[in-house]
Amino acid sequence: MLQIVPVILCGGSGTRLWPRSRAAMPKPFLPLVGDTTLFEASLARCPAELGFVAPVVVTGAKHLEHVEAQLSGAPGATVIVEPAARNTAAAIALAACRLPEDAVMLVCPSDHHIGRPDVFAQAAAAAAALASEGWLVSFGIEATAPETGFGYLKRGEAIEGTTGFRTAQFVEKPDLERAKSFLADGGYAWNGGIFAFRVGDFMAELAAHRPQIAAKVREAVEKGVEDGHRFHPDAATFAEVPSDSVDYAVMENTSRAAMVP
């Protein structure tokens, strides 16, 4: 069984569900669906019996107390404490620089509700298999309405011998008419913001397309310090990292973009 490292990106400004969610207590740490928080559910979706190893959580200092209070169900977890918010490309790179080159990362936001975790696990296994062959994989969520608040993935040709497809195009949040046309077309999925990469492949693509992010994150990790299960990148170096999303920095530029439904 292929081992998968869950990388949980944990933060948020607490604005979307204000006043229930606030900057000091954003929605990942709230029990919005059922008795567990969205963060706890993110951890629970990645159990050892399905091939997942101990997770790596990337969070900011202001959320560290909440993360550690809710980590009890994830033995062996490590926490990378971001000195500053630098968007998802840098956050993922921090985790990558702490992992072996051949490790497969499953990158998950911590604020999703996924109603069928068994289906998620199947998709994760399919994505990890593609990642182990050098693909950079997005999760496409079936579009059921013309949503204008999501990005979209256009499905390309099937990748032989897998359940995956090439990603033909990344599409930013559309207006309503364009969203309606995507739904009618049937070949577009919502971009779930969940990814699977092999560490070495991700860092190579990041270095090719955003070399300063790759170099500065690596330097910040090299100069960082461990504190038990916590890791603190060097703050002064990390402050020099440009802020960019993984979509813009890597996924829209790589020739190895794939998607699993």
Side-chain angles (χ1 to χ4, degrees), residues 107-173:
V107 179
C108 302
S110 57
D111 60 355
H112 282 177
H113 168 63
I114 295 178
R116 295 190 293 165
D118 53 331
V119 177
F120 169 81
Q122 292 168 14
L130 282 165
S132 71
E133 295 177 7
W135 296 94
L136 283 78
V137 189
S138 301
F139 282 51
I141 299 174
E142 181 184 358
T144 56
E147 287 287 348
T148 58
F150 299 145
Y152 286 73
L153 304 170
K154 183 179 181 181
R155 190 172 63 236
E157 66 267 25
I159 299 172
E160 189 175 347
T162 77
T163 57
F165 301 85
R166 283 184 173 270
T167 305
Q169 186 183 3
F170 286 83
V171 186
E172 297 306 308
K173 297 173 182 176

Side-chain angles (χ1 to χ4, degrees), residues 39-40 42-48 53-55 67-77:
F39 173 59
E40 288 169 330
S42 299
L43 297 170
R45 280 194 291 274
C46 302
V53 298
V67 164
E68 294 187 333
Q70 297 183 13
L71 264 183
S72 58

Side-chain angles (χ1 to χ4, degrees), residues 5-130:
V5 183
V7 174
I8 312 295
L9 305 183
C10 209
S13 55
T15 57
R16 200 169 285 188
L17 295 178
W18 189 92
R20 178 86 188 273
S21 171
R22 299 171 181 270
M25 180 67 101
K27 65 181 182 288
F29 307 113
L30 297 172
L32 298 176
V33 184
D35 297 328
T36 59
T37 69
L38 297 177
F39 173 59
E40 288 169 330
S42 299
L43 297 170
R45 280 194 291 274
C46 302
E49 60 267 23
L50 294 181
F52 295 98
V53 298
V56 177
V57 180
V58 185
T59 193
K62 67 179 179 180
H63 299 141
L64 181 60
E65 184 179 345
H66 300 313
V67 164
E68 294 187 333
Q70 297 183 13
L71 264 183
S72 58
T78 57
V79 181
I80 297 174
V81 186
E82 284 186 294
R86 285 295 183 270
N87 215 318
T88 52
I92 296 166
L94 282 175
C97 288
R98 296 278 295 163
L99 293 168
E101 287 270 301
D102 60 349
V104 172
M105 301 186 292
L106 179 71
V107 179
C108 302
S110 57
D111 60 355
H112 282 177
H113 168 63
I114 295 178
R116 295 190 293 165
D118 53 331
V119 177
F120 169 81
Q122 292 168 14
L130 282 165

Side-chain angles (χ1 to χ4, degrees), residues 211-233:
Q212 190 175 5
I213 295 178
K216 283 296 175 183
V217 170
R218 199 177 288 282
E219 182 184 345
V221 169
E222 288 171 353
K223 293 179 178 177
V225 293
E226 289 186 359
D227 172 21
H229 65 271
R230 302 175 184 173
F231 179 79
H232 297 271

